[in-house]
């Protein structure tokens, strides 16, 4: 692993050197930050997320200082599963791309995450994430209302009433449901609704950390309506107290901040008061923003302070404040328009007999390094000495032990945006021209990297508290943990917001740069990715020793790429390529021996591609913005929008007979929700647990084979199943068993598997669905259900999630001709199970696309036909400024007369983070 040796702060080696004023004696390891500018704040199913990536050095905020050349973008669902992943290559200094929201995506909240491979050294907590709601573009035919009741002897129950769009009840309808109270192995059950269209069930206890919900499917002829209903979680809240500088000191008037939140991380507001042991009220407290507030209090050494608080629901709790100390000291900070003032607070009656070292840095750049004499415990630092962002004050003793810390946010003047607009969005299909000039605070032209989005105000709500480029790079990315609505602190510079920002600094002790950690030698597990490189090794079959100087032939399946690579002394090999993704598919590489050595004597193994975990994501509740509700209601009436184009369609249902590209139909689907519950490791394990599928190992033509069997039409007794399952792979499928079982091919994302054992190389969590497939001409479209429902009425559903390991066969009406497996990310390319041949699917960088911007240059094209319903009116990911900091832009308005909001985000060449918002009428 490559090592970067960094010049280190001398306090960890020679403490005496620390007590010399000045000198930049600290250097942190190189770090990177990422940010994504998206065209709008929410999307509809079938829409496209247009995005621009910004990658900067974490200290300087300059894009030119960032070393990585590839940015990974992931779309993650509410269950923390990555459902789309892209790699974006820097092109001419820019990262820009898109994420299509396919028609089968669920209406829910999602998160977009961005990171480089190098950023993984700091941990997933410092990746960029953005929560984006995706709403259905059709009105649902199923409405589900949930109520709760209790049984004194039997606990709490839920009652779900199912209604049609017109308000009539789904009485006597077939429903399959699952109550998610644990991560895996939740049971699916089948019932019929009662005369009131209801199902009733007991709410089981849930595992800690699991978000509970009910997932139900209502069957209506050839349609399936699906709903996910989130259940209320156990409510409990805590209040944390944070004395300024880290310690509550005895006999000193001191500022104490507090933060209230629930056990699930939701923000709540509280009010209350602080009492001493004599029950005297010392001070009252109130949350001011996002559950955070502060108060000033003085505590005696022998006293214990207790806060009694009440939330907005009336729940009362008490919390003990930290014990007042007589041995610690604390830093107190005050900021005014010209200076930052610091003071060292000491407990009452304590005399200091030592000097201290004060270190001040912003994002790892040393601003101040001085000795603080016990005779002068306070001083001021000019504000001009600080760059914009979080300044970190750290106080050390002579043993280099950190004795107090304080974070302070320093603002700087914004860049100047000048925008001239010709045209109005009140006129349909008319041109609008804009002239843009960007200057620094001294009114000098700037150069940099900027992107622009223009959205329709009727459709898109512009929330001033949503995270943006300034709040992310200057605030959120430097604090570990969740900052609620970080953009709020940049919405204006009023005294109230300045106070709230200071309170935020008091309550966040986690930060990106930690001077208490020895960083003398930085060892990076994850390297800077500048090229697309694939690595592996070769070893002997017999003694498992690595084979050096072994020649290998690397090629693609289309033979467009051929290369000979040779393993090194350690038996390792690598090669680089510059392939681009084609139609969102992985790039397939085949690697085999180039010499004449027999294939059975060696094995080729690839270094497994690791991707970051998704366990550190924080989810917030998202409601449809009030200003956007009228738009969403109009969209759901009778048409859908696909990239702004109006297409009329039927109401939202899921058709059980899904069309496949080659004219086949899927009539029975093991859906993602059931696959997730089984918690198997490989796709082969999933097939073995699927009802009506038998994975058989046997000998045929003197060759060990593995293949999939499905029940034949003659299958009518369990004995037939037991005979074949009891063979334990010792007998071929022939003779008697062929009367009851039939061999079928397995297709993965359109690729037919030649060796079923390759499914061991496909992770179960990457499988999206397992489909029984048949030729459309032979499909029995009028069958009400392709498995007999009545045999399982009011019982547990026999599904992949709760079938026994030996499987369970149900009477079939239609016999499948293929088993079709669809995946989230593998795109059908699975590693080979033959050691002498390595087959891998590599995530190459994604192809970009241009935002579709219609033009109406003629009178005929401007005739209003009510079809241009764009919500993103214009998207410009790469704004190019001339030497005067100027550029010109133009676009055509959509059909709906409205007002538009322009958002420009970017970073100047010298690292200034900029944002500008303007409404045009």
């Amino acid at each position: 692993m490559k090592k970067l040796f960094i010049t280190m702060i001398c306090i960890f080696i020679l403490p005496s050197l620390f007590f010399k004023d000045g000198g930049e004696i600290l250097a942190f390891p190189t770090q990177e930050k990422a940010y994504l500018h998206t065209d709008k704040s929410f999307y509809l199913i079938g829409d496209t997320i247009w995005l621009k990536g910004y990658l900067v050095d974490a200290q300087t905020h300059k894009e030119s200082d960032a070393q990585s050349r590839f940015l990974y973008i992931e779309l993650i669902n509410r269950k923390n599963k990555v459902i789309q992943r892209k790699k974006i290559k820097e092109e001419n200094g820019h990262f820009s791309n898109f994420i299509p929201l396919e028609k089968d995506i669920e209406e829910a909240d999602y998160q977009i995450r961005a990171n480089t491979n190098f950023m993984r050294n700091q941990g997933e907590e410092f990746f960029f994430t953005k929560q984006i709601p995706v709403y259905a573009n059709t009105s649902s035919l199923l409405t589900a209302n949930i109520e709760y009741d209790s049984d004194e002897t039997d606990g709490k129950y839920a009652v779900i009433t199912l209604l049609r769009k017109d308000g009539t009840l789904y009485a006597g309808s077939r429903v399959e449901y699952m109550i998610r109270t644990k991560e895996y192995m939740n049971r699916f059950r089948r019932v019929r609704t009662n005369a009131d269209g209801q199902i009733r069930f007991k709410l089981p206890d849930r595992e800690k950390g699991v978000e509970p919900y009910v997932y139900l499917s209502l069957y209506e002829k050839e349609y399936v309506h699906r709903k996910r209903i989130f259940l209320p979680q156990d409510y409990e809240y805590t209040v944390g107290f944070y004395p300024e500088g880290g310690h509550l000191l005895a006999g000193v008037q001191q500022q104490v901040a507090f933060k209230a939140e629930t056990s699930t991380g939701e923000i709540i507001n509280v009010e209350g008061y602080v009492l001493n042991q004599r029950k005297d009220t010392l001070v009252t407290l109130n949350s001011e923003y996002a559950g955070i507030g502060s108060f000033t209090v003085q505590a005696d050494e022998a006293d214990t302070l207790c806060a009694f608080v009440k939330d907005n629901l009336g729940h009362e709790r008490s919390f003990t404040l930290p014990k007042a100390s007589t041995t610690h000291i604390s830093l107190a900070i005050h900021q005014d328009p010209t200076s930052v003032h610091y003071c060292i607070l000491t407990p009452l009656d304590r005399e200091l007999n030592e000097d201290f070292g004060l270190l001040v840095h912003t994002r790892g750049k040393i601003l101040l390094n001085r000795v603080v004499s016990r005779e002068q415990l306070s001083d001021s630092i000019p504000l001009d000495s600080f760059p914009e962002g979080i300044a970190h004050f750290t106080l050390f003793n002579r043993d280099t032990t950190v004795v107090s810390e304080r974070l302070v946010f320093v603002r700087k003047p914004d860049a100047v945006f000048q925008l001239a607009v010709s045209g109005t969005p009140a006129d349909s299909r008319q041109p609008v021209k804009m002239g843009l000039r960007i200057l620094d605070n001294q009114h000098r032209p700037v150069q940099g990297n900027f992107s622009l989005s223009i959205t329709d105000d009727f459709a898109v709500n512009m929330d001033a508290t949503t995270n943006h480029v300034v709040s992310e790079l200057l605030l959120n990315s430097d604090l570990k943990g969740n900052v609620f609505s970080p953009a709020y602190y940049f919405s204006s510079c009023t005294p109230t917001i300045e106070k709230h920002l200071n309170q935020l600094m008091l309550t966040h002790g986690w930060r990106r740069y930690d001077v208490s950690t020895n960083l003398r030698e930085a060892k990076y597990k994850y390297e800077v990715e500048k090229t697309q490189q694939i690595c592996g090794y070769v070893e002997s079959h017999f003694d498992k020793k690595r084979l050096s100087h072994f020649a290998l032939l690397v090629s693609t399946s289309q033979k467009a790429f051929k290369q000979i690579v040779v393993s090194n002394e350690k038996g390792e090999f690598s090669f680089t390529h510059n392939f681009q993704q084609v139609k969102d598919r992985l790039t397939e590489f085949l690697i085999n021996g180039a010499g004449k050595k027999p294939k059975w004597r060696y094995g080729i193994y690839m270094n497994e591609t690791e991707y970051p975990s998704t366990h550190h994501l924080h989810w917030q509740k998202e409601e449809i913005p009030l200003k956007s509700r009228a738009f969403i209601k109009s969209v759901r009436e009778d048409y859908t929008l696909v990239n702004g184009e109006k297409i009329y369609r039927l109401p939202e249902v899921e058709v059980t007979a899904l069309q496949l590209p080659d004219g086949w139909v899927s009539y029975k689907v093991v859906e993602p929700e059931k696959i997730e519950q089984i918690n198997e490791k490989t796709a082969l394990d999933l097939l073995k647990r699927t009802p009506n599928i038998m994975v058989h190992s046997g000998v045929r033509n003197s060759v060990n084979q593995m293949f999939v069997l499905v029940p034949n039409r003659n299958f009518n007794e369990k004995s037939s199943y037991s005979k074949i399952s009891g063979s334990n792979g010792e007998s071929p499928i022939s003779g008697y068993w062929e009367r009851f079982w039939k061999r079928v091919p397995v297709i993965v994302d359109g690729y037919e598997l030649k060796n079923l054992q390759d499914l061991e190389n496909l992770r179960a969590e990457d499988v999206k669905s397992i489909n029984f497939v048949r030729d459309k001409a032979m499909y029995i479209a009028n069958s009400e259900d392709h498995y007999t429902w009545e045999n399982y009425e009011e019982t547990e559903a026999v599904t992949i999630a709760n079938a026994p390991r030996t499987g369970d066969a149900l009477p079939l009406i239609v016999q499948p001709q293929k088993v079709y497996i669809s995946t989230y990310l593998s795109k059908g390319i699975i590693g080979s199970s033959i050691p002498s041949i390595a087959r891998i699917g590599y995530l190459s960088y994604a192809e970009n696309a241009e935002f579709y911007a219609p033009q109406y240059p003629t009178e005929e094209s401007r005739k209003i036909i009510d079809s241009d319903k764009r919500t993103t009116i214009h998207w410009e990911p790469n704004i190019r400024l001339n030497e005067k900091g100027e550029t010109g832009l133009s676009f055509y308005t959509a059909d709906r007369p409205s007002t538009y909001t322009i958002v420009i985000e970017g970073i100047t060449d010298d690292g200034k983070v900029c944002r500008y918002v303007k409404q045009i009428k």
Side-chain angles (χ1 to χ4, degrees):
M1 178 60 66
K2 181 180 178 182
K3 300 179 181 178
L4 296 181
F5 293 89
I6 309 298
T7 303
M8 182 53 197
I9 181 170
C10 295
I11 62 172
F12 299 110
I13 306 173
L14 299 174
S16 60
L17 294 181
F18 179 81
F19 294 92
K20 295 181 180 179
D21 285 349
E24 190 165 325
I25 58 174
L26 174 65
F28 286 95
T30 301
Q31 299 183 27
E32 294 176 335
K33 294 181 181 180
Y35 172 76
L36 296 180
H37 179 197
T38 58
D39 61 310
K40 54 192 173 187
S41 56
F42 76 86
Y43 296 86
L44 301 177
I45 294 174
D47 213 337
T48 298
I49 302 174
W50 296 96
L51 53 88
K52 166 68 176 288
Y54 291 91
L55 180 64
V56 299
D57 178 88
Q59 183 182 94
T60 66
H61 284 172
K62 294 181 180 180
E63 292 184 294
S64 59
D65 291 341
Q67 302 179 57
S68 298
R69 295 295 174 262
F70 294 95
L71 192 63
Y72 291 86
I73 310 296
E74 295 171 325
L75 184 66
I76 306 171
N77 66 16
R78 192 68 182 254
K79 290 175 287 187
N80 292 344
K81 176 183 284 292
V82 178
I83 61 174
Q84 285 195 53
R85 179 181 289 121
K86 281 191 168 187
K87 182 162 68 173
I88 303 176
K89 181 182 179 181
E90 180 192 50
E91 300 282 359
N92 300 319
H94 303 285
F95 295 93
S96 58
N97 215 269
F98 64 97
I99 297 177
L101 299 175
E102 306 295 345
K103 63 180 181 180
D104 61 347
I105 197 171
E106 183 180 356
E107 179 184 33
D109 291 327
Y110 295 85
Q111 290 208 28
I112 298 180
R113 186 170 73 172
N115 67 279
T116 64
N117 187 62
F118 190 59
M119 288 173 63
R120 298 181 65 183
N121 294 296
Q122 278 68 57
E124 291 84 2
E125 300 91 338
F126 291 110
F127 291 0
F128 171 78
T129 59
K130 181 176 183 178
Q131 184 168 324
I132 292 180
V134 176
Y135 301 116
N137 56 15
T138 60
S139 57
S140 177
L141 294 181
L142 172 64
T143 300
N145 298 327
I146 187 168
E147 297 177 339
Y148 302 95
D149 60 30
S150 298
D151 189 308
E152 295 182 359
T153 60
D154 203 20
K156 192 173 184 179
Y157 281 78
V159 179
I160 298 179
T161 304
L162 304 176
L163 305 97
R164 295 180 176 83
K165 186 178 180 180
D166 59 5
T168 59
L169 299 170
Y170 277 109
S173 298
R174 299 175 295 153
V175 174
E176 182 177 83
Y177 70 92
M178 176 204 69
I179 312 169
R180 182 179 185 260
T181 55
K182 52 187 178 182
E183 196 69 29
Y184 305 108
M185 302 306 293
N186 295 286
R187 313 292 280 184
F188 284 81
R189 298 180 180 276
R190 284 181 170 178
V191 297
R192 287 189 184 271
T193 57
N194 61 21
D196 296 323
Q198 296 175 339
I199 61 172
R200 184 175 184 267
F201 51 85
K202 183 180 178 180
L203 293 175
D205 296 332
R206 70 177 180 90
E207 291 181 355
K208 186 177 181 180
V210 173
E211 186 175 29
Y213 60 78
V214 177
Y215 180 80
L216 63 85
S217 302
L218 185 144
Y219 296 85
E220 185 182 26
K221 296 184 178 180
E222 70 270 30
Y223 299 125
V224 182
H225 311 281
R226 305 195 191 278
K227 281 287 183 182
R228 191 186 310 275
I229 306 169
F230 287 92
L231 301 174
Q233 302 188 46
D234 298 333
Y235 181 79
E236 185 176 340
Y237 70 90
T238 59
V239 181
F241 293 89
Y242 308 90
E244 184 175 20
H247 306 284
L248 187 62
L249 307 180
V252 178
Q253 281 287 119
Q254 196 173 357
Q255 185 178 196
V256 178
F258 65 90
K259 181 178 181 179
E261 58 185 350
T262 68
S263 56
T264 57
E266 296 179 23
I267 298 300
I268 60 168
N269 291 318
V270 297
E271 61 180 16
Y273 49 90
V274 178
L275 302 181
N276 60 17
Q277 287 180 323
R278 297 185 300 274
K279 306 300 181 183
D280 299 325
T281 300
L282 302 182
V283 66
T284 60
L285 59 91
N286 286 278
S287 299
E288 297 189 38
Y289 181 74
I292 299 176
S294 63
F295 55 86
T296 301
V297 72
Q298 178 175 320
D300 296 330
E301 175 186 355
D303 208 353
T304 299
L305 305 187
C306 187
F308 292 84
V309 299
K310 180 173 63 175
D311 67 1
N312 48 13
L313 298 177
H315 299 132
E316 297 181 346
R317 293 201 64 188
S318 62
F319 301 91
T320 302
L321 271 67
K323 190 74 175 177
S325 172
T326 59
T327 59
H328 293 90
I329 63 175
S330 287
L331 267 171
I333 304 290
H334 170 67
Q335 185 180 167
D336 63 29
T338 62
S339 303
V340 175
H341 311 277
Y342 70 85
C343 177
I344 298 179
L345 303 179
T346 62
L348 185 66
D349 299 330
R350 177 182 173 180
E351 292 185 7
L352 296 180
N353 55 9
E354 62 176 322
D355 296 336
F356 296 90
L358 178 64
L359 180 73
V360 184
H361 75 87
T362 296
R363 297 189 296 276
K365 180 180 180 181
I366 298 301
L367 309 175
L368 178 72
N369 168 39
R370 67 167 52 164
V371 175
V372 178
S373 170
R374 56 185 176 273
E375 285 81 23
Q376 185 180 356
L377 298 180
S378 62
D379 202 353
S380 301
I381 308 172
L383 208 59
D384 293 340
S385 305
F386 294 86
E388 189 172 21
I390 298 175
H392 185 183
F393 286 69
T394 308
L395 196 66
F396 296 87
N397 62 17
R398 281 193 173 273
D399 296 329
T400 70
T401 300
V402 176
V403 295
S404 183
E405 294 180 280
R406 177 71 153 88
L407 302 183
V408 180
F409 192 90
V410 177
R411 296 185 188 270
K412 291 293 180 177
D414 295 331
V416 178
F417 286 77
Q418 298 175 346
L419 184 68
V421 180
S422 173
T424 172
D427 298 330
S428 302
R429 302 197 177 192
Q430 296 299 313
V432 175
K433 296 181 179 180
M434 300 188 302
L436 173 65
R437 177 188 297 149
I438 306 177
L439 310 171
D440 64 15
N441 62 328
Q442 302 296 322
H443 288 268
R444 295 171 299 196
V446 303
Q447 296 296 310
N449 190 0
F450 298 90
S451 51
L452 171 146
S453 68
I454 304 176
T455 54
D456 181 353
D457 291 342
F458 174 74
V460 180
N461 175 64
M462 188 57 60
D463 186 355
T465 66
T466 301
N467 195 23
H468 52 63
V469 65
V470 178
S471 60
E472 173 63 24
L473 295 183
L474 294 181
L475 180 66
N476 203 42
S477 62
D478 285 334
L479 296 176
K480 189 175 183 179
N482 176 52
V483 179
F484 180 80
S485 299
Y488 161 78
Y489 301 100
F490 300 88
S491 57
S492 66
C493 293
T494 63
T496 298
I497 290 182
E498 291 299 306
K499 180 182 179 182
H500 294 168
L501 182 56
N502 183 56
Q503 292 170 344
L504 179 71
M505 295 294 100
L506 288 168
T507 58
H508 269 72
W510 293 100
R511 57 267 173 194
R512 177 181 290 269
Y513 296 96
D514 188 354
V515 298
S516 64
T517 303
N518 189 334
L519 302 174
R520 181 169 52 237
E521 181 181 321
K523 299 180 180 179
Y524 293 122
K525 179 180 179 181
Y526 304 100
E527 298 185 14
V528 172
E529 189 176 15
K530 295 185 177 182
T531 61
Q532 297 187 125
Q533 187 176 60
I534 301 176
C535 305
Y537 61 91
V538 190
E539 69 179 21
S540 169
H541 264 330
F542 298 107
D543 52 15
K544 302 301 180 182
K545 290 184 177 180
R546 299 288 178 92
L547 300 178
S548 60
H549 308 294
F550 194 94
L552 298 166
L553 174 64
V554 181
S555 63
T556 59
S557 56
Q558 294 80 20
K559 308 300 180 183
F561 174 86
K562 283 187 178 183
Q563 181 179 335
I564 298 292
V565 297
V566 180
S567 62
N568 61 18
E569 295 290 341
K570 298 180 180 180
E572 300 169 343
F573 66 90
S574 65
F575 63 93
T576 61
H577 70 93
N578 194 36
F579 279 96
Q580 187 180 52
Q581 265 192 327
V582 179
K583 296 182 179 179
D584 293 332
R585 290 191 174 274
L586 301 183
T587 304
E588 183 180 12
F589 289 95
L590 298 174
I591 306 170
N592 54 275
K596 297 182 179 180
K597 183 172 285 192
K599 294 181 179 180
W600 53 268
R601 296 185 60 183
Y602 63 88
I604 304 171
Y605 304 95
M606 308 306 300
N607 294 350
E608 185 177 354
T609 302
E610 294 182 29
Y611 292 103
S613 67
T614 56
H615 300 310
H616 294 90
L617 297 178
H618 180 82
W619 296 90
Q620 298 177 353
K621 290 185 177 179
E622 295 282 354
E623 302 288 342
I624 298 178
L626 183 62
K627 292 183 179 179
S628 301
R629 290 178 183 175
F631 162 73
I632 293 178
K633 181 179 179 181
S634 67
V635 168
R636 289 177 175 176
E637 290 300 324
D638 57 353
Y639 59 86
T640 185
L641 295 179
V642 179
N643 293 330
E645 184 180 357
K646 191 176 186 182
I647 301 176
Y648 289 86
R649 74 303 186 232
L650 296 173
E652 178 190 9
V653 292
E654 181 174 336
V655 184
T656 57
L658 299 176
Q659 288 286 343
L660 295 173
D662 53 3
W664 294 65
V665 293
S666 170
Y667 63 87
K668 183 64 181 179
V669 180
V670 182
E671 58 188 293
E673 197 73 33
K674 296 177 180 177
I675 289 174
E676 291 173 9
Q677 291 303 313
I678 193 171
N679 194 26
E680 289 288 2
K681 293 183 179 181
T682 71
L684 185 60
D685 296 328
L686 288 177
L687 274 185
K688 292 178 180 179
R689 298 288 299 277
T690 304
N692 287 101
I693 283 182
M694 168 56 61
V695 178
H696 179 76
S697 297
V699 179
R700 199 166 199 173
N701 298 327
S702 301
V703 177
N704 289 322
Q705 293 185 355
M706 181 180 290
F707 38 84
V708 166
L709 305 173
V710 296
N712 208 333
R713 280 187 172 276
N714 295 323
F715 184 96
N716 56 10
E717 54 180 323
K718 285 291 185 80
S719 60
S720 303
Y721 178 81
S722 62
K723 287 177 182 178
I724 189 65
S725 62
S727 64
N728 293 322
E730 298 174 357
S731 302
I733 300 300
S734 61
Y736 176 79
W737 288 281
E738 287 185 342
R739 295 172 51 199
F740 305 100
W741 297 88
K742 179 181 179 181
R743 181 176 177 178
V744 295
V746 177
I747 315 295
V748 180
D749 292 333
Y751 294 93
E752 181 174 346
L753 289 184
K754 303 300 182 183
N755 186 353
L756 191 64
Q757 202 163 353
D758 288 352
L759 285 176
E760 291 181 340
N761 298 316
L762 176 60
R763 297 184 303 176
E765 63 185 48
D766 290 337
V767 176
K768 186 176 183 180
S769 64
I770 301 175
N771 305 261
F772 284 7
V773 175
R774 189 163 183 84
D775 186 276
K776 183 176 181 181
M778 303 181 69
Y779 171 66
I780 305 177
N782 295 325
S783 61
E784 184 178 4
D785 194 349
H786 297 286
Y787 291 90
T788 304
W789 171 274
E790 289 73 14
N791 295 346
Y792 298 90
E793 189 72 35
E794 303 287 349
T795 64
E796 290 183 359
V798 178
T799 69
I800 191 172
N802 42 314
R805 287 199 174 271
T806 55
D808 197 357
L810 309 178
L812 281 172
I813 295 177
V814 179
Q815 181 188 37
Q817 292 176 297
K818 296 181 182 180
V819 174
Y820 193 100
I821 299 176
S822 61
T823 69
Y824 287 104
L825 302 170
S826 76
K827 306 301 181 185
I829 301 174
I830 310 172
S832 172
S833 59
I834 302 174
S836 60
I837 300 176
R839 180 172 66 241
I840 61 170
Y842 183 81
L843 181 66
S844 299
Y845 70 91
E847 182 181 8
N848 199 5
E850 187 175 346
F851 176 79
Y852 172 68
Q855 297 185 0
Y856 306 107
T858 65
E859 288 296 330
E860 185 67 23
S861 63
R862 293 174 189 171
K863 292 181 179 179
I864 308 302
I865 58 174
D866 198 30
S867 64
D868 186 349
K869 296 293 184 179
R870 284 173 291 154
T871 55
T872 299
I873 305 301
H874 191 68
W875 169 250
E876 189 65 51
N878 304 316
I879 296 178
R880 296 173 176 83
L881 303 176
N882 61 21
E883 65 279 1
K884 296 182 180 180
E886 299 174 342
T887 190
L889 301 165
S890 64
F891 62 92
Y892 281 85
T893 61
D895 286 345
R896 178 175 42 243
S898 183
T899 59
Y900 294 164
T901 293
I902 301 171
V903 176
I904 303 173
E905 295 188 338
I907 303 170
T908 65
D909 288 346
D910 59 359
K912 175 68 176 179
V913 186
C914 307
R915 187 172 190 262
Y916 176 72
V917 179
K918 180 180 177 63
Q919 187 183 67
I920 57 176
K921 300 181 180 180

